[in-house]
Structures are given as structure tokens and as C-alpha cells.
Amino acid sequence: MVLKEIDSKKFRDMVRVATHRLGRNAEFIDSLNVFPVPDGDTGTNMNLTIESGAKAVAENTSSMVGELTESLAKGMLMGARGNSGVISSQLFRGFYKATVGLKTMNAQELANAFSNGVATAYKAVMKPVEGTILTVARVAAQEGANKANETDDVEEVLTAIVEGAKAALKTTPDLLPVLKQVGVVDSGGQGLLFIYEGFLEGLLGEKFTDRYQPDEGEMDEMINAMHHQSVQSQLATQDIENGYCTEIMVDLTADVPHKKPFKLEEFREHLSGLGDSLLAVSDDEVAKVHVHTEHPGAVFTYGSQFGQLGKIKIDNMRIQHETIVNNSDEDQQSVEFAVIAVASGNGIRTLFESEGVNRIISGGQTMNPSTQDIIDAIKKSGAKKAIVLPNNGNIVMAAKQAAEVSDLPVGIVPSKTISQGLTAMLSFDPDLSVEENVDNMTQALADVVSGEVTQANRDTTINDVEIHQNDYLGIIDGDIKIAETDVVTAAFDMVEKMLDEDSEIITIMFGRDSNEREAQKIVSALEEKHDELEFEIHDGGQPVYNFLVSVE
Amino acid sequence: MAVKIKTNNGLIDISNGVVAIVVGCAATSNYGVVGMASKNAFRDGFDGILNRANYKRGVVVKSEDNRITVDVYIIVGYGLKISEVSRNVQGSVKFNLKNQLGIDTKAVNVIVQSVKVLDE
């Protein structure tokens, strides 16, 4: 059956369904928003804009389409929010102008209305940026106009408009570089497509489909955009609360023992408790999840209750981010007198920097920097003289060699641990000579007892301490003194052995494999026995060592 | 006067003309802004649209510490929600100053100097 005109009842349906469709997908649109300002609110803004228009239409009892379009345009104008909201309000302002006085709309009039909307919208912008909602509206209207020349079926014309919008949306990344770079389509254009699709569904009187199901490609787009937005706001690696970017796909059709019935809302609710930046979508067969969490395992365990896990991916965002930060370290400032320290772990780098260390060379127990690395660091510092803190017994030799071949006066303070390095740094005085500083700083090394807690990787016996694989070892000034199965006990026993009557300050730096809670436990246990001591806890972020402890 | 940013390496001095271009381009990229207007409308004409070289006539920059206050004079198309267009201008000016020049803005004041009726 050919549908020749749109009456007021049909038009009301169109607006209602379009509003519903956009509203249900506002979050998805938000997630795509990277242009012009990546603030992730396009969907929300467009939704508020069209809701305001829909409300005005609902309040208007007229049976004239021309009067309903006017209400829609006015409502959208009053409620316009954000760039995309303002643009849509203009599109429908032009739309309304072309339908003044109409009781119903035929195919030609419908196409004209869309075209006039585009013409009006383009007038209010100095330099139209292609690859945005404007492009999508323009191509869609063009397709509609072409179709209206061939047929007087409004359904066909509206279908052509939707198809045109869809095709145009796909081209937006090619037109707007920032979209291409992030790998998304334009968010406003996507929003407009939802509106147009809603119009078509309303016109056909179909029971409207619920929340939009992004396909795999679109899912990737969302993820890319989310990452883009989070990179913009993330300043320091330690600010990343949930360190693992975790993605799973659950095959809901597969049978698993004790299979639970799948409900997307519940599923999303539970996962949102496990982390942030959650995206969870599903159809009847598969659920796809992207979440930033500290506990990827918990996500897998939960997901596997509903079916087999398909694709699994985990990225450690802290390492990714640290790499970015490290790479940007190249432009550190040049100084007269540089101090160069070997360290790993973001927290420890920050501690050294806060004490005035100018350059940090990544390294430590498992990756010793070469002599060349140290020479490079001295050169890059641009300083006229330098002090090197190797902070590891294995690196002292390399540092000494670097000092010998360097053209500058370079002094080595033979610090064997991070704790020693941090303490030695307190005695650094840029106004003194290299020799004086080396003397003062080396003397300071004696003031600190260094403790390290790490995990054994094999069975052995050292210094009469029997060690089993996976035991936690307490190492005091380089000698293994403690082997315990519990990390907190190992640390506690180790600190006990490090204390003497002169001890005043205990500094505990917890590493990548430990956390503040464990450090607090150690401190609480120690405080019970020693009320005269002062404690400091830092997030060292170091690999290998669960805890680095210094006793001064 | 210019915007001065203190860094560990020394001073960065960004002339107001540069800030004006960034502000002007950000403002005019917003939908509904048909042009920049002169702050001195009486002398320069009320509905004259400034060209890019003259954006500084429509941008006033006041700086204190490392933050600045910007006044932006714009012309908006008739039939648009002026308050929303202006709000969008505030957002994109703030974002672009931070993104391109690393300048934090304390305030972006938008002055709608004129409304241009676009032929319909």
C-alpha cells in the first residue's frame, strides 16, 4: 500500500518515536563525542533539545501538520542545548517554515521540508565544517529530494532520507580528521540518524525497537572515543584508579554449568560495581563488555556465569600511560648541576623528582641500565656537572664507568637501594662541589637501613634462611633475613629486625603488586609495639618489590 | 599587554593578537555565530563582521597570574537560541585556549553585539 501523505496523527507518532529512540541511545551518542570539544554530552544535549520539542507537540491539539511542525521547532529552539542541539533546532526551524499552512504533508512536501531545514541550518554558520551533523542532514535531504522526484510514496522518501543519513554518517571520519584519528563517526550525525530512523519507525507504526545495539565496529568506535576522552583528562599514572582495560565477549547461547539467566540491566549494574568506563551491550546471542577495572578476574568470573567467554583482552593502562609519560620526559629542563637517579615505578620517580632529581633512568633489579644509558642521561640533562644515584648494587659499576668516560665532572654516590638514594638526596646541595656532595651524600647512606620485600621464585637456602618458592623475602641491606608465606608478616618481621634505639622514621613504599591497605596493616602492627616511631606510606608503584622500607 | 606563562625554563609571552585569533576562531567555529564583532561598536560600526586579521578588535584579554579572562564580542544569527550559542562559545573558547595555548581561563564573557537576520 502506498502511503501518500502524513497527517497530524502520523506526525505525532513520528516525533514521539524519534524522541524515544534518541533518548534511549543518548549515552551511546555521548560516548562518540570528541568534536568540537570532547566533553561527551552530545547525546544528552540532543535528547534534551528534542524532548523539549516533543513536549510542545504533545501539548498542541491541532490537526494541522503545519502547526505541529511549528510547535516542534519552537520547542526545540527553547530547549536547544549544545552545538548539536542548536543545529537540530535550526534544521527543524527550516523544516517548519516549509510546512506552514499544511494540513498534511505529501512526499514532495516532506522532501522540501527536509531540504529547507538544511538550507536554514547552513545559513547560520560561517564556515560549515563537513563531517558533522550538517553533512548528514544535507546528504539525507538530497537523497529525499531525489526520491520525491520518482515517487509520491512518503514512506519511500523517508526511507531514502534515512539511508542517505546512514551513508553520510559513514563518511564523516573521512571528512573530519579528528574523527578519523579517534576512529569514530560524528556524534551529532549519529544523533540525527536516530531521529530520522525514529521518524520512519513512527511513520510505519511499527512497535519501536529498544535501545540501539551497536555492532562490533561501532563498539570499537565507542571504546576508541572513551579512551580518547580519558587520555585528555588523565594527568598522572597514579590517578588511574582502575588500571586494567578489560574486554570480554560472552556467548550467551553456549551452555555452562549453573548457567544464570541473562538480564542486561542486572549485568551492567553488577559490572559497574567492579570498575568505571563501563560499556556493556548485548543481543540475544552475545554480550560484549568493556570496563576499566582493578579486577579483570572478577569480570571474567561474573561473565562466565552467563555463557562461554569469547574474545578476552586486558591492557594494563598504567604501563601504557607510564610509557607515554616517560616518552615525554625528553623535554625535562636543563640545569647547572644535575642529579640523575636510577629508579622504576611512577611513585618512586615522583618521590625522587620532589627531592630535586632532574633525570630518572628507568631501571632496577630486573633491568639494569647500561653505562651508555647513564652517559646519555648525563648528556641530555645539559648540566655542567652531575651526581648519579645508582640505587642498586648491580648498577654502581656501570655508573662508575659512565663517570670515567664522561667529559663532565660526574660523582657517584654508591646507593644500593631506593631508600638509600632517597635519603642521600636530602643531603644534596647544588651550591657545593661534586666532591663535597658525594662525601655528604655517601655519609648519609649510613643513616638509613634499607629493607625490601619481594617474592622468591625458587626453593633455596641462603644465610641459614630456608626459602620456598613464592615465599615473601625480607631483605635487609642486601641480605635475605626473612622468609614468610604472608607478605604482611614478612614485612613486619623485617622492619622489626631493622629497628634499633636510634630509629625514628619508617618509610614504606608499596609496589605495583601490593596496596595501601597492606601497608596500613604493617604500620598498625608496628604502631602497637612502638609508639615512639613515625610512619610514612607512599605509593611507589615499583615492580618486583612488594615493599621498600627505609628506617632512619 | 600579553599573556605571560611562567615555566621552569623561563617565561612564555603570548601576544594578545595570538590569543585573539585562537579565541576568534574558536568562537566562530560554533554553530550560530555568524561573525566576530568589534568591541567598539560605536566607532567601528554596529553590525560589521570582523575579518580574521581584525579579531583582536572583538576580543579583550585580561591576564592575572597564569589565568586569563576573555571578553568575546560576537554576532549571532537570528532565530537561534542566543543563550545556548553563547554558552557553546564559552565552552569552545575555554577548551581551545587550554588545548592550543595551555592557558587556563578564569572566565569567558560573551557579549552578543548584534543579531544578523539571515534571509529565509
Side-chain angles (χ1 to χ4, degrees):
Chain A
M1 192 195 86
V2 175
L3 188 61
K4 293 237 164 120
E5 40 179 41
I6 296 173
D7 60 15
S8 62
K9 185 183 165 300
K10 283 277 181 207
F11 187 72
R12 283 177 199 282
D13 286 345
M14 285 165 61
V15 172
R16 195 164 38 81
V17 178
T19 308
H20 177 81
R21 190 170 172 79
L22 182 67
R24 297 285 291 186
N25 295 296
E27 271 178 55
F28 170 61
I29 303 164
D30 282 346
S31 74
L32 299 177
N33 179 203
V34 294
F35 176 86
V37 178
D39 43 11
D41 62 359
T42 300
T44 312
N45 286 338
M46 287 186 83
N47 187 30
L48 288 166
T49 306
I50 195 163
E51 268 183 355
S52 168
K55 190 159 166 277
V57 171
E59 283 166 1
N60 186 338
T61 56
S62 171
S63 60
M64 301 269 294
V65 164
E67 288 180 14
L68 295 183
T69 56
E70 182 176 3
S71 288
L72 179 67
K74 279 200 175 144
M76 286 179 73
L77 175 66
M78 300 307 288
R81 282 272 300 264
N83 257 309
S84 46
V86 174
I87 298 176
S88 356
S89 77
Q90 278 313 94
L91 284 169
F92 285 100
R93 184 178 140 82
F95 189 97
Y96 132 70
K97 293 269 180 188
T99 59
V100 173
L102 293 182
K103 183 160 174 54
T104 61
M105 259 188 292
N106 65 26
Q108 192 62 54
E109 286 160 345
L110 180 71
N112 287 348
F114 276 106
S115 298
N116 198 50
V118 171
T120 304
Y122 266 86
K123 272 179 200 151
V125 58
M126 283 178 75
K127 328 157 257 204
V129 180
E130 289 300 336
T132 63
I133 184 171
L134 285 170
T135 310
V136 174
R138 180 171 51 77
V139 175
Q142 187 59 47
E143 292 298 318
N146 293 346
K147 188 53 89 175
N149 289 334
E150 299 167 11
T151 175
D152 55 2
D153 186 346
V154 286
E155 184 191 320
E156 274 190 50
V157 171
L158 197 51
T159 306
I161 286 169
V162 169
E163 291 307 317
K166 231 181 242 173
L169 182 65
K170 283 216 178 79
T171 66
T172 54
D174 296 321
L175 295 169
L176 196 55
V178 61
L179 299 177
K180 183 125 196 157
Q181 185 197 337
V182 179
V184 296
V185 295
D186 180 63
S187 55
Q190 176 72 70
L192 191 66
L193 175 60
F194 281 132
I195 294 176
Y196 288 0
E197 283 175 343
F199 279 167
L200 183 58
E201 285 173 4
L203 181 69
L204 300 178
E206 286 171 2
K207 197 172 139 294
F208 33 86
T209 49
D210 244 342
R211 194 186 288 264
Y212 181 65
Q213 303 292 349
D215 65 24
E216 194 152 334
E218 286 164 323
M219 185 75 197
D220 287 340
E221 281 180 10
M222 288 160 66
I223 292 165
N224 292 342
M226 290 288 226
H227 272 292
H228 181 78
Q229 285 163 17
S230 58
V231 165
Q232 296 258 351
S233 58
Q234 217 98 60
L235 294 172
T237 308
Q238 57 264 39
D239 288 347
I240 301 177
E241 266 179 47
N242 293 300
Y244 300 98
C245 170
T246 308
E247 274 178 62
I248 58 169
M249 275 170 76
V250 186
D251 179 359
L252 300 172
T253 60
D255 248 336
V256 290
H258 314 293
K259 182 168 167 147
K260 284 196 186 166
F262 180 83
K263 283 203 197 81
L264 184 61
E265 284 305 317
E266 244 172 60
F267 188 70
R268 197 174 275 153
E269 180 80 9
H270 181 89
L271 288 173
S272 66
L274 293 174
D276 57 20
S277 304
L278 172 69
L279 293 166
V281 292
S282 76
D283 56 19
D284 294 339
E285 290 171 4
V286 69
K288 186 160 182 176
V289 178
H290 166 261
V291 63
H292 294 173
T293 177
E294 272 302 275
H295 312 285
V299 176
F300 302 156
T301 312
Y302 183 71
S304 62
Q305 296 173 342
F306 302 97
Q308 267 180 24
L309 298 186
K311 186 179 138 194
I312 295 175
K313 182 180 84 82
I314 317 174
D315 290 323
N316 185 329
M317 298 188 296
R318 289 198 185 88
I319 293 180
Q320 290 175 344
H321 190 262
E322 210 168 306
T323 313
I324 299 170
V325 174
N326 289 356
N327 290 345
S328 64
D329 279 353
E330 290 308 315
D331 34 73
Q332 278 176 344
Q333 69 249 41
S334 58
V335 286
E336 188 86 355
F337 195 159
V339 182
I340 293 150
V342 181
S344 58
N346 234 284
I348 291 186
R349 298 171 74 98
T350 311
L351 281 174
F352 272 114
E353 277 162 8
S354 70
E355 288 191 333
V357 167
N358 312 91
R359 287 197 90 81
I360 312 264
I361 305 170
S362 282
Q365 189 60 39
T366 54
M367 48 172 191
N368 295 336
S370 65
T371 302
Q372 189 61 48
D373 291 336
I374 297 167
I375 293 170
D376 288 347
I378 296 170
K379 268 194 200 140
K380 276 185 191 155
S381 74
K384 297 198 176 72
K385 47 190 175 176
I387 295 262
V388 179
L389 289 166
N391 298 333
N392 187 304
N394 298 336
I395 305 171
V396 175
M397 281 306 293
K400 284 192 171 149
Q401 278 179 0
E404 277 168 27
V405 296
S406 175
D407 309 331
L408 313 170
V410 176
I412 307 297
V413 177
S415 57
K416 291 185 179 150
T417 63
I418 295 289
S419 308
Q420 284 189 342
L422 287 169
T423 307
M425 199 52 212
L426 297 175
S427 309
F428 173 71
D429 180 350
D431 293 332
L432 298 179
S433 70
V434 171
E435 291 74 23
E436 285 168 308
N437 267 307
V438 168
D439 281 348
N440 293 346
M441 291 168 81
T442 307
Q443 266 177 27
L445 297 181
D447 297 343
V448 60
V449 185
S450 312
E452 292 152 347
V453 177
T454 185
Q455 209 166 9
N457 51 19
R458 61 187 163 91
D459 292 348
T460 184
T461 304
I462 295 174
N463 302 341
D464 300 329
V465 184
E466 195 185 324
I467 298 162
H468 301 286
Q469 190 176 358
N470 294 335
D471 273 356
Y472 289 95
L473 307 179
I475 305 165
I476 301 174
D477 283 337
D479 295 328
I480 298 174
K481 301 281 189 191
I482 308 282
E484 283 287 343
T485 50
D486 177 64
V487 66
V488 174
T489 316
F492 174 81
D493 290 354
M494 180 184 79
V495 178
E496 279 286 318
K497 275 194 195 287
M498 290 163 73
L499 296 174
D500 63 24
E501 63 269 26
D502 296 331
S503 301
E504 285 172 4
I505 303 169
I506 319 291
T507 311
I508 299 180
M509 287 162 277
F510 59 92
R512 208 175 269 165
D513 301 327
S514 284
N515 54 50
E516 184 157 12
R517 207 166 35 83
E518 287 176 346
Q520 282 292 359
K521 270 196 203 165
I522 300 164
V523 168
S524 306
L526 288 165
E527 271 176 338
E528 272 183 31
K529 294 181 72 179
H530 309 277
D531 56 355
E532 75 284 5
L533 294 175
E534 273 182 53
F535 294 92
E536 270 184 38
I537 295 178
H538 295 288
D539 179 359
Q542 71 272 14
V544 184
Y545 297 107
N546 297 73
F547 295 103
L548 293 174
V549 181
S550 66
V551 175
E552 288 159 77
Chain B
M1 212 181 78
V3 179
K4 290 182 170 51
I5 302 172
K6 288 190 197 86
T7 78
N8 294 328
N9 291 340
L11 202 67
I12 299 174
D13 211 311
I14 301 172
S15 96
N16 275 4
V18 174
V19 177
I21 292 281
V22 173
V23 169
C25 289
T28 53
S29 71
N30 277 281
Y31 187 83
V33 178
V34 290
M36 296 289 293
S38 167
K39 59 181 176 282
N40 204 334
F42 191 66
R43 196 188 63 207
D44 295 344
F46 276 96
D47 38 11
I49 293 177
L50 298 175
N51 62 24
R52 190 167 301 186
N54 286 325
Y55 277 172
K56 59 178 176 291
R57 286 170 183 263
V59 178
V60 179
V61 184
K62 283 166 261 175
S63 69
E64 44 183 82
D65 301 328
N66 277 353
R67 302 175 74 202
I68 65 171
T69 300
V70 201
D71 296 346
V72 196
Y73 291 76
I74 58 169
I75 298 171
V76 177
Y78 176 76
L80 291 128
K81 194 177 183 193
I82 292 175
S83 61
E84 200 53 33
V85 171
S86 309
R87 204 192 313 275
N88 294 338
V89 168
Q90 291 176 322
S92 62
V93 165
K94 203 172 158 80
F95 174 75
N96 280 289
L97 283 174
K98 180 75 192 163
N99 204 29
Q100 295 176 30
L101 301 179
I103 299 175
D104 287 317
T105 30
K106 191 166 157 216
V108 177
N109 301 316
V110 177
I111 297 99
V112 180
Q113 194 78 312
S114 170
V115 171
K116 190 169 182 344
V117 179
L118 312 155
D119 44 316
E120 307 213 1

